[in-house]
Amino acid sequence: MVTQLSLVVPVYNEEEMLPIFFTRMEEILHGQFESYEYVFVNDGSKDGTLQVLKELAQKYPYVKAVSFSRNFGKEAAVTAGLAHTDAQAVVIMDVDLQDPPELIHTFWEKFQQGYENVYGQRADRSTDSFFKRLTAQTFYKIYNKMADYPIPYNTGDFRLMSRRAVQAVLSLPERERFMKGLFSWVGFKSIAVPYKREARAAGTTKWNYWKLWNFALGGFTSATSVPLKLWTYFGLLVSAFAFLFAIWTAYKKLVWGNPVSGYASLMVTILFFSGVQLITLGVIGEYLSRIFIEVKQRPTYLIDEKINL
Ligand code: UDP
Ligand code: MG
């Protein structure tokens, strides 16, 4: 018999959080579903996470786990979790209980109504700093302007997906796995469920601004090639301007002669366009590095151990 519900949970250095999470989830899930399971993905934790997982798995056969050979990042961990379940519906959630587990029942109702991609949407980000909110907002705005398939605002990985939707996500072969982008790309009947995101129950966040910046860059470059093409138009604009300027200069020389001046304007022009050229090269470099990663065809993750699977 196919399991009804599967919880895919990436964990990285979460020995403290795991037991709290498990107890809370059992309160919510036990007796509510015909069958359910947990698929934890240990993303190369350096603390006792794996040990805690093994103890849980020994007691409860429906606690399953995949353990990576090293840290591959949350996107890889979620991918691995999705690949190791064949449940009818799969819920992806963090272990830190920032996403209220009660919402799973609402997700399930929507699933019964025929929705195949039910995502939690943060209605209230008051637990985040002003700067974090501002950068997140800007990211969504620019991303959605450029990408072919917009991602809903303030949406993370916390969601329920049908078997079909999960299969579709897994069928996308890229190694640059910006999951939010992939989830919205596959489509299917989707709906948002607004909720309030809590502060972490224990442990600390694994993100910092540098990581977030790179995450955002990965998101852009995997979803859109607009930054590559943008420069063509900028170049055209500058050339057109240069052409008009040349005519103007020639005209000036013919009418007023040629007084030597313009050191300042020369410097400004050179510096500005050197900057533009460097940015352009940087953008090309970003894409090139991602193409390089894709052509190497390395696996997204390596598994060290499977537990109850
Ligand atoms: N996580 C992971 N690999 C990583 C970083 C994080 O599997 O390299 C897991 C982490 O254990 C947690 C989830 O991803 O279950 C979200 O992490 P975190 O709470 O640090 O992110 P935030 O909520 O601050 O965005
Ligand atoms: Mg968190």
Side-chain angles (χ1 to χ4, degrees):
M1 200 196 72
V2 184
T3 312
Q4 257 191 337
L5 180 75
S6 181
L7 293 190
V8 164
V9 190
V11 283
Y12 177 51
N13 296 342
E14 304 278 10
E15 60 178 2
E16 203 182 340
M17 208 45 238
L18 258 173
I20 309 174
F21 173 81
F22 187 73
T23 317
R24 179 81 185 280
M25 292 314 295
E26 284 297 284
E27 282 167 19
I28 283 157
L29 299 177
H30 201 78
Q32 301 286 326
F33 293 93
E34 260 170 47
S35 55
Y36 64 91
E37 65 176 14
Y38 299 81
V39 179
F40 289 103
V41 182
N42 174 32
D43 187 11
S45 299
K46 292 172 189 73
D47 64 355
T49 300
L50 185 59
Q51 197 48 43
V52 179
L53 279 178
K54 281 182 174 165
E55 281 160 20
L56 282 176
Q58 208 159 38
K59 261 195 241 163
Y60 309 93
Y62 54 96
V63 171
K64 303 166 182 185
V66 175
S67 190
F68 283 174
S69 63
R70 63 167 170 85
N71 180 258
F72 280 91
K74 188 186 170 188
E75 310 297 296
V78 170
T79 307
L82 294 179
H84 285 86
T85 171
D86 54 7
Q88 273 174 34
V90 181
V91 167
I92 301 167
M93 77 189 291
D94 293 353
V95 76
D96 56 11
L97 295 174
Q98 279 187 286
D99 308 315
E102 295 77 15
L103 224 61
I104 291 175
H105 293 305
T106 318
F107 284 4
W108 183 258
E109 269 166 37
K110 300 282 179 207
F111 176 59
Q112 295 303 319
Q113 290 164 17
Y115 291 99
E116 304 204 34
N117 197 346
V118 188
Y119 53 89
Q121 187 165 41
R122 301 167 64 176
D124 175 1
R125 294 190 69 140
S126 54
T127 46
D128 280 339
S129 71
F130 170 75
F131 188 67
K132 177 103 183 244
R133 269 179 286 165
L134 183 78
T135 47
Q137 194 77 4
T138 314
F139 170 75
Y140 285 110
K141 246 196 206 135
I142 301 178
Y143 183 98
N144 287 344
K145 277 251 160 59
M146 294 208 235
D148 298 336
Y149 307 91
I151 48 176
Y153 271 64
N154 295 336
T155 301
D157 295 330
F158 184 40
R159 67 183 63 228
L160 177 148
M161 276 189 297
S162 69
R163 180 80 257 147
R164 275 207 306 177
V166 169
Q167 221 55 50
V169 169
L170 288 173
S171 74
L172 304 177
E174 58 250 66
R175 277 125 250 275
E176 177 71 54
R177 299 197 76 79
F178 184 65
M179 297 311 273
K180 291 188 216 196
L182 303 188
F183 293 148
S184 70
W185 188 89
V186 301
F188 294 111
K189 208 173 161 194
S190 310
I191 192 168
V193 177
Y195 72 103
K196 185 177 183 307
R197 201 162 200 239
E198 305 296 334
R200 221 178 206 282
T204 52
T205 176
K206 273 85 201 164
W207 291 97
N208 55 41
Y209 281 110
W210 179 241
K211 272 193 179 174
L212 277 173
W213 163 248
N214 281 301
F215 182 63
L217 263 188
F220 279 128
T221 50
S222 65
T224 170
S225 53
V226 171
L228 273 177
K229 297 171 187 158
L230 192 73
W231 303 103
T232 313
Y233 300 98
F234 189 76
L236 278 174
L237 207 76
V238 171
S239 305
F241 178 76
F243 183 71
L244 293 178
F245 189 68
I247 294 176
W248 167 244
T249 314
Y251 173 80
K252 249 187 5 185
K253 174 160 167 48
L254 291 175
V255 179
W256 293 299
N258 188 14
V260 178
S261 72
Y263 171 76
S265 61
L266 250 175
M267 271 318 274
V268 168
T269 319
I270 289 172
L271 285 177
F272 178 70
F273 289 107
S274 308
V276 169
Q277 281 176 13
L278 284 178
I279 294 170
T280 320
L281 280 176
V283 171
I284 295 171
E286 281 295 330
Y287 280 92
L288 193 67
S289 76
R290 274 161 235 271
I291 294 168
F292 179 58
I293 290 168
E294 298 293 335
V295 295
K296 278 196 287 189
Q297 300 260 328
R298 291 201 180 159
T300 308
Y301 51 82
L302 285 178
I303 295 172
D304 176 33
E305 212 176 323
K306 291 186 188 183
I307 303 154
N308 281 352
L309 276 164

